[in-house]
Amino acid sequence: MTATTTKAPATAGSAVPQPAAAQVPAEVKPNAAERFTAKVMKEFGSTVGEIQVTDYQQQLVQGYFIAIDRALKSAEEERLRKNEKNKDHEKYDNNLPVTWGNVNLNDLALDVVHYARMGLDMMQENHLFPIPYKNNKTGKYDMTLMPGYNGIQYIAEKYAVEPPLAVTVELVYSTDTFRPIKKSAENRVENYEFAINNAFDRGEIIGGFGYIEFADPVKNKLVIMTKKDIEKRKPKYASANFWGGKQKVWENGKQVDQETDGWYEEMCLKTIKREIYSAKHIPRDPKKIDDNYQYMKMREARIAELEAQDIIDANANGMVIDVTPTALPEPVTPASGVPISGNPSEPAASPRPTAETAPAAIQDDGQTTLTGPTF
C-alpha cells in the first residue's frame, strides 16, 4: 500500500514560500582612465570622424591618462612654488591652475589617438612625454606629447626601409682613441676603432659618433659628429641649466649671473641620438608611412618653432612652458618672458591670464584623487 501525503491549503495570513529573487549584478562604473579614453574617442570623432582602435591601443590611451595626470599635478606644484617665490605677485604670478579643466582636450584627443595608433607607450621608459604649455591667447594649457630617446628609436625602426640590427652611440673625449675606417677598395665594410684610455678622467668632449649595423654588413654606416656639429644643433636660446654656461639667479632680491655645468654631456648625447635615428641615416619606407606618421611630423615642426627642445627633454613631466601663440606657438625667446635659465625663483614676464574656476575632483575607485572634468 503506497502512502500519499497532501499539502494543507494556505490559510489567511500564513506565509507562502516564494522563489528566490535573481541576483542583479551591481553596475560597474568606468574608472577615470576609461572615461578619459571614451572622451578622447568622442573628441576625435567630432573633429576627424569615427575611427577604430584596437584593445591594445585603448590600453595605451588609458596609460596616457595616468602619465598626463601625473604631469599636470607636477606642473601645478611647480606653478605654485614659482608663484610663492616671485618678488612681484601682481606682475609675475601665473594664476591659471594646471588642471584637467584648463587643458585643450580637443587638440589632446588628436595627439593621443595618432600616437597610440603608432604604438608609443607612456608607461615605457623614455618613450613619450606629456608637456603642458600655457597658451595665453586661449587661457588653456596645450598638452604636447614629445617622443623620448626610446620613442625615437621605436619610430625609426617601425617605419624604416630596413630596420638596423644594432645602433651604437658614443661621445668621444680628448683622451680617447677614435679611428674611423671608411670604405675603400680594400675594405668593403665601414667600421671604426674606439678605446677609452682613461675612464675616470677622459678630458673634454671633442665629438661623437653613431654606428648603424644592418643584416648585410656592407650597408653598415658610421656617422661622425664633431663638437662643432653638435653645437650647431644647440637651440638658439638653450638653457644654461642643461647646456651649461651662465644663468640668471635671484640673490637678495636681485638677478645675478651664475656659472653652471648643467647637463652638457647628456645634451650632446641626445643631439647625436636624434641625428642618428633621423630619416637621413635610417631611411623611412614610403609604403609604411601612414597618417599617424605624417601627423607626428607636423607636430614636430610645431614644437621646433618653440626652440626649447632641450628644456622639454630635461624637464619632462615637471615643467610648464609659457608661450603666447598666434596660429602656432611663438618661439621661446627671452622676449617672450620664459625664464630660459629654468630657475624656479626667476619670474616669468608674461601677462597675467584670467583665472578659471578649477573643476571638482573625481575619484578613481576610491584609491586616487584625480583633478579634472568628469569625463
Side-chain angles (χ1 to χ4, degrees):
M1 186 175 182
T2 304
T4 60
T5 60
T6 60
K7 185 178 294 185
T11 60
S14 63
V16 179
Q18 299 293 327
Q23 294 294 325
V24 179
E27 181 182 357
V28 178
K29 295 183 179 181
N31 60 31
E34 292 169 339
R35 296 197 299 275
F36 171 74
T37 302
K39 177 68 173 177
V40 164
M41 296 298 107
K42 180 179 178 181
E43 291 285 343
F44 187 91
S46 65
T47 304
V48 178
E50 187 176 356
I51 191 170
Q52 298 296 325
V53 295
T54 65
D55 290 342
Y56 174 67
Q57 290 165 353
Q58 289 191 33
Q59 292 176 16
L60 291 179
V61 173
Q62 292 181 26
Y64 288 8
F65 169 78
I66 295 172
I68 294 171
D69 188 70
R70 290 172 181 168
L72 291 175
K73 289 178 178 177
S74 179
E76 173 64 5
E77 291 175 0
E78 179 69 7
R79 181 188 72 88
L80 295 174
R81 188 167 70 91
K82 289 184 68 175
N83 283 354
E84 184 179 354
K85 288 183 175 292
N86 283 340
K87 302 300 180 182
D88 188 337
H89 295 287
E90 183 68 23
K91 185 177 181 180
Y92 295 126
D93 275 8
N94 170 14
N95 292 322
L96 183 66
V98 191
T99 62
W100 278 107
N102 293 329
V103 170
N104 181 345
L105 284 177
N106 186 267
D107 284 357
L108 177 60
L110 294 175
D111 288 358
V112 163
V113 173
H114 283 295
Y115 286 124
R117 293 182 71 194
M118 292 180 72
L120 290 168
D121 188 350
M122 282 192 189
M123 296 292 99
Q124 296 295 320
E125 183 178 1
N126 221 346
H127 234 236
L128 189 66
F129 297 114
I131 314 293
Y133 288 78
K134 184 161 73 71
N135 185 327
N136 289 324
K137 183 177 180 180
T138 64
K140 292 281 188 178
Y141 287 100
D142 295 327
M143 185 64 65
T144 297
L145 308 185
M146 170 62 63
Y149 301 151
N150 293 337
I152 292 171
Q153 177 181 346
Y154 171 83
I155 293 168
E157 294 175 349
K158 177 176 181 177
Y159 291 95
V161 173
E162 181 180 354
L165 292 181
V167 176
T168 301
V169 180
E170 292 278 1
L171 292 175
V172 179
Y173 294 76
S174 56
T175 64
D176 297 338
T177 298
F178 174 73
R179 186 174 76 88
I181 304 174
K182 304 299 289 183
K183 282 186 178 181
S184 64
E186 293 78 24
N187 179 51
R188 297 180 63 248
V189 178
E190 194 167 67
N191 214 322
Y192 67 94
E193 293 178 355
F194 178 59
I196 299 175
N197 299 314
N198 188 344
F200 299 103
D201 186 8
R202 297 177 66 183
E204 300 292 327
I205 294 175
I206 58 175
F209 68 91
Y211 188 59
I212 308 169
E213 300 177 59
F214 295 96
D216 181 0
V218 174
K219 298 179 181 179
N220 289 2
K221 182 183 296 186
L222 177 65
V223 180
I224 301 172
M225 296 184 71
T226 65
K227 184 175 180 178
K228 184 178 179 180
D229 294 330
I230 296 172
E231 292 282 353
K232 282 194 301 185
R233 290 162 174 80
K234 177 181 175 181
K236 185 177 181 180
Y237 297 106
S239 170
N241 260 8
F242 314 117
W243 285 90
K246 292 182 179 180
Q247 65 174 347
K248 297 286 186 181
V249 297
W250 287 88
E251 289 185 3
N252 301 322
K254 297 181 179 180
Q255 279 190 342
V256 297
D257 288 332
Q258 183 182 79
E259 195 74 25
T260 177
D261 292 334
W263 296 90
Y264 185 75
E265 294 182 3
E266 182 69 17
M267 293 299 102
C268 290
L269 192 62
K270 177 210 73 172
T271 301
I272 297 173
K273 286 182 178 180
R274 290 189 179 277
E275 175 70 16
I276 299 305
Y277 283 108
S278 69
K280 178 169 65 176
H281 302 295
I282 303 179
R284 308 307 193 240
D285 187 346
K287 296 179 182 178
K288 297 179 182 178
I289 299 300
D290 52 21
D291 291 342
N292 303 311
Y293 182 86
Q294 297 285 16
Y295 181 88
M296 181 201 68
K297 300 306 291 183
M298 178 272 292
R299 295 295 282 169
E300 285 182 353
R302 181 177 180 179
I303 295 171
E305 293 192 10
L306 296 174
E307 296 185 332
Q309 190 67 63
D310 57 329
I311 300 177
I312 293 173
D313 287 347
N315 284 268
N317 299 336
M319 184 176 186
V320 175
I321 299 180
D322 187 350
V323 294
T324 305
T326 51
L328 293 176
E330 293 177 353
V332 175
T333 66
S336 71
V338 177
I340 61 174
S341 70
N343 191 323
S345 65
E346 183 176 352
S350 57
R352 288 183 61 190
T354 302
E356 296 185 9
T357 303
I362 56 176
Q363 300 295 323
D364 183 12
D365 299 333
Q367 300 296 322
T368 305
T369 300
L370 302 168
T371 304
T374 305
F375 297 117

